[in-house]
């Protein structure tokens, strides 16, 4: 029962987020696409890694290797000598990032963004960091609790919302 409530809440949260973005776009068109909120026109997503370019073999990083030939990867020195820029983009960008794929949680662009963050952690720390479960135990099945559970399930893919 609680998993079906969580699923409904997750879909409701995603739908509400989409509605809010559309309303913001109508009210203030410049707020519809805040800096860095969506993918760049070129499709490249990048993270800066605190390592030398020679230390990074992108083909052997498990989070990126899962994509195989579906992505292109670039590794080069970051501006100002601040580490290395690890960038990736989907080869087939036509089928990425549709509203339906975002609502259902099957957005390849979000999966790539998450894989880049995990790859950065592997290079810098040696492991993918995970948040410990919340110490509060089970939440009462209230609409607000179900909405929060659904929202936190999709947050790791897209980062902070």
């Amino acid at each position: 029962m609680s998993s079906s409530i969580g699923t409904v809440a997750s879909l409701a949260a995603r739908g509400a987020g989409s509605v809010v973005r559309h309303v913001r776009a109508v009210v203030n068109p410049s707020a519809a696409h805040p800096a860095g909120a969506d993918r760049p026109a070129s499709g490249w997503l990048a993270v800066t890694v605190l390592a030398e370019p020679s230390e990074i073999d992108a083909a052997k990083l498990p989070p990126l290797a899962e994509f195989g030939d579906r992505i292109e990867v670039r590794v080069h020195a970051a501006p100002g000598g601040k580490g290395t820029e690890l960038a990736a983009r989907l080869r087939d960008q036509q089928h990425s990032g549709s509203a339906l794929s975002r609502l259902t949680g099957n957005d390849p662009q979000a999966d790539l963004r998450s894989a880049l963050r995990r790859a950065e952690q592997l290079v810098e720390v040696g492991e993918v960091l995970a948040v410990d479960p919340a110490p509060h135990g089970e939440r009462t099945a209230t609409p607000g609790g179900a909405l929060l559970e659904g929202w936190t399930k999709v947050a790791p893919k897209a980062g902070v919302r």
Side-chain angles (χ1 to χ4, degrees):
M1 175 81 179
S2 66
S3 67
S4 62
I5 291 173
T7 303
V8 169
S10 177
L11 289 173
R14 291 178 189 158
S18 181
V19 169
V20 168
R21 281 189 295 277
H22 288 297
V23 169
R24 285 176 59 196
V26 170
V27 173
N28 182 3
S30 65
H33 300 289
D38 58 0
R39 64 188 166 116
S42 66
W44 287 100
L45 298 170
V47 293
T48 301
V49 182
L50 297 174
E52 292 298 319
S54 60
E55 297 174 19
I56 299 174
D57 184 4
K60 292 185 179 179
L61 287 171
L64 297 177
E66 293 172 3
F67 284 88
D69 291 338
R70 296 185 305 149
I71 63 170
E72 297 176 62
V73 179
R74 298 191 301 208
V75 178
H76 56 84
K82 307 263 186 198
T84 300
E85 187 175 85
L86 177 62
R89 73 174 171 183
L90 295 168
R91 290 185 190 275
D92 181 18
Q93 295 182 31
Q94 294 175 346
H95 296 85
S96 68
S98 71
L100 181 59
S101 66
R102 285 191 303 268
L103 285 172
T104 59
N106 295 324
D107 183 8
Q109 193 74 16
D111 293 338
L112 179 57
R113 189 178 311 114
S114 179
L116 270 172
R117 283 194 308 269
R118 290 192 320 269
E120 175 186 14
Q121 291 176 9
L122 280 173
V123 170
E124 292 181 348
V125 182
E127 64 181 311
V128 176
L129 304 175
V131 177
D132 289 335
H136 53 69
E138 289 289 319
R139 286 193 184 102
T140 307
T142 63
L147 184 64
L148 180 59
E149 288 292 332
W151 198 249
T152 55
K153 284 181 184 176
V154 298
K157 271 193 169 180
V160 179
R161 292 192 183 249

